Amino acid sequence: MAIVFRIRDFFHPLLINRLRCEFERNQWKAPEALADMQEKRLNEILAHSYASVPIYRAKFDAAGLKPSDIRTNEDLKKLPVLSRAEARSAGKALHASRLRGLHPVEYHSSGTSGTPFAMLHDKNANALEFAYYWRHWSWAGYRLGDSFADLGSVYFLTRKSDDIQAWQPLLRRLNLSSHQVSPTNAPLMARELERRDCKILKGVASTVYHLALSMEEAGVRPRPLRGVISTGETLLPHQRALIKDIFGCLIFDSYGHMERTVAVSQCEKGGRHVNSDYGLLEFTNIRPSPDGTTLLAEGLGTGLHNRAMPFIRYETGDTFELFRDPQPCPCGRTFPLVKAIHGRQEECVVTPDGRHLTSLFVLPEFVTGLRETQFVQEKADSLVIRVVTGNEFDANQEEQLKSFTQRLTGPSMRISIARCQRDDLVRARSGKFRTVIPLQSSTADKSPASTSPV
Ligand SMILES: [Zn+2]
């Protein structure tokens, strides 16, 4: 998930401030009050979707339902699920018929599924995102106006910049280039974190881990931060331990997706809280975990804010691990807890000069006409980009994809592009799609697509 943060998309100060105050209170409310609040918002979204969004009108009609038949979270089960494939092929049937006044902004995501998806987020959805980040970061000790560091590649790719770092004074944001992470560049990055007085570091889990590894190898340690916010993928225990050691702070894991139906954020006591005021998370196919100590379930998300393109009972595609006997979190927040999320674990491409690239999945967002994209590292210095393309993908787009990738890998990687059909894409043995097939497994089985999780 790559979010291109543009101030103008988030410039709704009154809305944000109102939501921020509401969000502050919500986290401590009694569970019954939270459920009431969710149901009120749910009823509003359902009524709006029935009246204005063609795909939901059809779903309600086919099920013989009216919005008034769904009053509680439990009633929501009467509506059919919105699958990921259905959402991607729905086009304007998922858009509200009247967008005036909603201030929708279009975002493109290749996500980690490899298939691009255009989404509309309205002003409510953008205010929501701001208020949500603000609250979660405040759990890590962030205050609005503090400097923070963002480890990523989008900032540098959009500016065609090969810089290692860039400071944005207005946002008080230090951008650190995730494709420049190496033991050679680690001391400079550590110095910049101190010079800009960054309190928080945010980045995709594996990228932050590689920064920590590079700092360890270079023998540098920045001044302790207040917190590291890890996003985008599952953070593994050995990664967490090293990040904590190098940055001298707690790691606050977070889970969400571009569709903005579900947000789970980790608190200072380690609890993974489902943000009930952000969206509604339902669990399906609940079964015991392999050792029987916990439960596993698939997650369906219903966004409670975005009216321009609502997602109702939407397949998140991730597996949630649940407590058999949930206890309140010692932090005192009342949002429900999940034990873990078994979702994305992005593989890396390792460049000939030893850098670990974990953010290749953002590249298709910068190229037109890509239906599916997969990076297969065949040799230490050879990377094949398998692409399933539409008509808009021409020689210019091909050159663009190649040059963006070359920019990330550096000149010593040989890059070739192979146009292919969906069935030609390499799949893991589980059938799960991976954007990156790393060197050791690029000979993995090719098997038909599967929607089953890990
Ligand atoms: Zn907690």
Side-chain angles (χ1 to χ4, degrees):
M1 175 173 65
I3 293 177
V4 183
F5 184 92
R6 293 173 299 210
I7 293 178
R8 67 175 184 274
D9 298 347
F10 292 82
F11 197 69
H12 306 290
L14 293 177
L15 198 56
I16 286 173
N17 201 42
R18 201 184 64 212
L19 204 57
R20 161 72 181 157
C21 295
E22 212 178 286
F23 267 35
E24 252 328 281
R25 292 192 299 273
N26 288 345
Q27 56 187 327
W28 312 107
K29 276 184 178 167
E32 304 75 45
L34 280 177
D36 282 351
M37 177 207 61
Q38 270 193 323
E39 285 171 4
K40 186 167 167 281
R41 279 203 174 270
L42 176 67
N43 291 337
E44 287 166 7
I45 283 286
L46 292 178
H48 162 77
S49 302
Y50 181 72
S52 319
V53 186
I55 198 167
Y56 296 115
R57 166 71 74 139
K59 279 179 184 285
F60 270 95
D61 288 347
L65 294 169
K66 293 273 186 277
S68 55
D69 295 321
I70 302 173
R71 305 311 312 175
T72 65
N73 296 350
E74 192 59 28
D75 291 340
L76 193 56
K77 293 192 173 75
K78 296 176 190 170
L79 267 182
V81 167
L82 176 68
S83 73
R84 296 173 71 79
E86 204 180 355
R88 275 156 181 73
S89 60
K92 290 201 166 151
L94 252 182
H95 296 182
S97 52
R98 288 173 51 170
L99 292 167
R100 262 185 79 189
L102 296 175
H103 301 278
V105 182
E106 190 169 310
Y107 290 80
H108 293 265
S109 162
S110 62
T112 44
S113 69
T115 311
F117 186 25
M119 267 167 268
L120 296 181
H121 291 155
D122 64 18
K123 64 177 180 183
N124 286 330
N126 283 333
L128 165 75
E129 207 59 11
F130 200 101
Y132 158 68
Y133 272 93
W134 192 352
R135 177 170 66 194
H136 187 211
W137 290 23
S138 75
W139 297 0
Y142 169 84
R143 288 183 294 269
L144 200 64
D146 283 344
S147 303
F148 68 98
D150 192 343
L151 180 61
S153 57
V154 172
Y155 175 91
F156 299 93
L157 286 170
T158 48
R159 289 161 181 80
K160 300 199 166 142
S161 157
D162 289 326
D163 290 343
I164 297 166
Q165 57 85 26
W167 171 245
Q168 289 176 287
L170 197 62
L171 296 172
R172 303 205 58 74
R173 172 164 73 176
L174 170 67
N175 295 282
L176 297 176
S177 171
S178 58
H179 54 274
Q180 298 280 11
V181 170
S182 67
T184 313
N185 292 336
L188 185 145
M189 291 187 173
R191 273 200 305 278
E192 286 301 312
L193 283 169
E194 288 197 19
R195 185 158 83 99
R196 302 301 182 188
D197 194 24
C198 292
K199 308 291 191 218
I200 299 283
L201 168 68
K202 164 190 168 269
V204 172
S206 53
T207 310
V208 178
Y209 172 64
H210 286 296
L211 177 59
L213 264 181
S214 297
M215 287 192 176
E216 185 185 48
E217 200 171 313
V220 292
R221 215 165 271 253
R223 195 165 59 210
L225 301 172
R226 284 192 193 148
V228 167
I229 309 282
S230 140
T231 65
E233 2 169 282
T234 307
L235 183 68
L236 304 172
H238 70 280
Q239 297 176 327
R240 178 179 288 273
L242 184 71
I243 294 169
K244 186 177 172 190
D245 181 40
I246 294 292
F247 296 105
C249 63
L250 293 177
I251 294 103
F252 296 76
D253 207 358
S254 66
Y255 164 87
H257 55 180
M258 282 289 277
E259 293 84 344
R260 297 185 187 169
T261 66
V262 176
V264 179
S265 34
Q266 194 173 29
C267 71
E268 68 279 11
K269 299 292 183 191
R272 289 183 168 80
H273 291 275
V274 180
N275 291 241
S276 323
D277 47 3
Y278 183 105
L280 204 156
L281 175 59
E282 280 177 81
F283 298 115
T284 59
N285 186 22
I286 301 174
R287 70 271 183 193
S289 60
D291 68 1
T293 56
T294 55
L295 300 168
L296 295 176
E298 266 57 75
L300 297 178
T302 298
L304 295 174
H305 297 260
N306 189 6
R307 285 163 182 262
M309 188 169 174
F311 286 89
I312 298 171
R313 304 204 79 209
Y314 175 66
E315 276 181 348
T316 61
D318 295 313
T319 302
F320 293 79
E321 189 173 349
L322 314 175
F323 293 102
R324 277 187 179 274
D325 178 23
Q327 300 294 322
C329 185
C331 76
R333 295 183 186 90
T334 46
F335 290 151
L337 295 172
V338 296
K339 185 161 191 292
I341 299 157
H342 302 285
R344 293 160 287 220
Q345 273 173 278
E346 215 34 77
E347 301 284 3
C348 317
V349 164
V350 181
T351 62
D353 57 353
R355 288 174 299 119
H356 290 70
L357 302 177
T358 56
S359 53
L360 288 169
F361 68 89
V362 305
L363 287 175
E365 291 170 41
F366 297 93
V367 180
T368 310
L370 289 172
R371 299 283 177 267
E372 309 247 19
T373 311
Q374 187 169 57
F375 299 88
V376 184
Q377 185 164 16
E378 293 194 330
K379 293 186 185 148
D381 63 350
S382 162
L383 183 68
V384 177
I385 313 174
R386 292 171 178 258
V387 291
V388 180
T389 58
N391 291 337
E392 320 87 77
F393 189 83
D394 56 16
N396 284 338
Q397 297 300 327
E398 181 165 332
E399 194 44 48
Q400 187 140 355
L401 177 62
K402 207 166 168 180
S403 85
F404 274 138
T405 311
Q406 197 84 65
R407 187 175 285 275
L408 261 65
T409 60
S412 46
M413 184 72 91
R414 286 179 293 122
I415 295 168
S416 57
I417 293 183
R419 294 189 190 221
C420 58
Q421 303 297 315
R422 277 200 167 84
D423 288 347
D424 298 330
L425 297 174
V426 181
R427 307 240 166 219
R429 286 194 170 80
S430 66
K432 194 162 179 166
F433 181 85
R434 296 263 191 231
T435 310
V436 172
I437 306 295
L439 190 55
Q440 68 274 19
S441 67
S442 59
T443 50
D445 290 348
K446 268 198 300 180
S447 54
S450 160
T451 52
S452 61
V454 190

